Amino acid sequence: KVGVAVQKGLTGNQLKLIAAAAMLLDHAGILLFPRIQLFRILGRLAYPIFAYMIAEGCRYTKNKLRYFCMLFGLGTACQLVYYFFSGDTYLNILLTFSVSVLLIYAMQASWESGKAIWSAVFAAGIVAAVGLDMLVTIDYGFWGIMIPVMIGFAHIRQFPRWAEVLMLGLGLVLLGEAMGGYQNYALLSLPFLLCYSGKRGKGNLKYFFYIFYPVHLAVLQGI
């Protein structure tokens, strides 16, 4: 309509669909086509986009407890099924992000309340994340936990979008140094996030993304 400003760019739903497609390629590359390096390279787009959107979810959710419980509950269910069939204790990405969410909540509470107790809780949470990474194998490790927290910090301080993405890039460099391999290709996600419009997009695809993770893994494992 005339006189109505249209904010151009990629919506949150579009970014998540790109990330979901990248995740599918990455896991297909691991399980079905291990010699096709391009699948693993394109798969590096998934983590940064989802990490950014996890921080966005913490920023805008109206029910913090439900947001965490959905993420942690599904991650735990997937973990139990995976352990039953393979015996592997490798903690999945949903559990990685669950720890990120708790840290972001503590950081938000510290900033909003100004109370030292929440700063202490946040600091203790970081120490616990280091300990968790040392005790068990968690997807993307310590920096995988901290990158959404870094973006959450940028949200709290009301950084402009380019500065948020720059902070994400710094986190990805640290993650790449820690993990090696294909991980530095995750920086290819930054142009996509610079194009983020800040809008969710049409339709409510929230539950699709929760369901997609276990379903696509089950299908690939079945194949």
Side-chain angles (χ1 to χ4, degrees), residues 1-190:
K1 294 181 180 180
V2 177
V4 177
V6 178
Q7 192 168 1
K8 296 181 179 179
L10 295 169
T11 66
N13 284 343
Q14 290 168 337
L15 282 170
K16 288 179 182 179
L17 287 171
I18 291 170
M23 181 185 288
L24 177 60
L25 286 174
D26 187 39
H27 291 156
I30 294 171
L31 295 171
L32 304 179
F33 307 104
R35 295 186 179 182
I36 303 179
Q37 296 184 7
L38 182 60
F39 281 20
R40 302 304 315 284
I41 291 171
L42 293 176
R44 298 309 95 213
L45 296 175
Y47 168 80
I49 294 175
F50 279 129
Y52 190 95
M53 290 301 158
I54 285 292
E56 282 283 282
C58 291
R59 184 184 191 181
Y60 292 116
T61 184
K62 296 179 181 178
N63 190 324
K64 287 181 167 62
L65 179 60
R66 183 175 65 184
Y67 186 71
F68 169 77
C69 288
M70 283 286 295
L71 198 62
F72 180 74
L74 183 57
T76 301
C78 291
Q79 195 66 43
L80 291 173
V81 172
Y82 191 63
Y83 178 76
F84 178 79
F85 282 104
S86 69
D88 198 341
T89 58
Y90 183 91
L91 301 185
N92 65 64
I93 189 63
L94 297 180
L95 296 179
T96 302
F97 285 150
S98 295
V99 179
S100 303
V101 167
L102 290 178
L103 288 173
I104 291 172
Y105 287 170
M107 183 172 59
Q108 289 174 341
S110 175
W111 179 261
E112 293 168 2
S113 69
K115 294 181 178 179
I117 183 63
W118 283 112
S119 298
V121 169
F122 177 65
I126 293 177
V127 173
V130 173
L132 180 66
D133 185 41
M134 293 174 64
L135 290 172
V136 298
T137 304
I138 186 167
D139 207 6
Y140 286 94
F142 173 73
W143 287 112
I145 294 172
M146 290 305 299
I147 285 174
V149 180
M150 294 169 68
I151 300 165
F153 174 78
H155 287 162
I156 289 173
R157 299 304 299 267
Q158 298 183 342
F159 287 3
R161 176 66 45 72
W162 66 265
E164 292 178 1
V165 174
L166 183 63
M167 183 164 284
L168 172 62
L170 173 61
L172 292 177
V173 169
L174 294 171
L175 180 63
E177 287 296 313
M179 294 186 66
Y182 297 101
Q183 196 53 49
N184 286 322
Y185 287 104
L187 293 168
L188 295 174
S189 65
L190 300 185

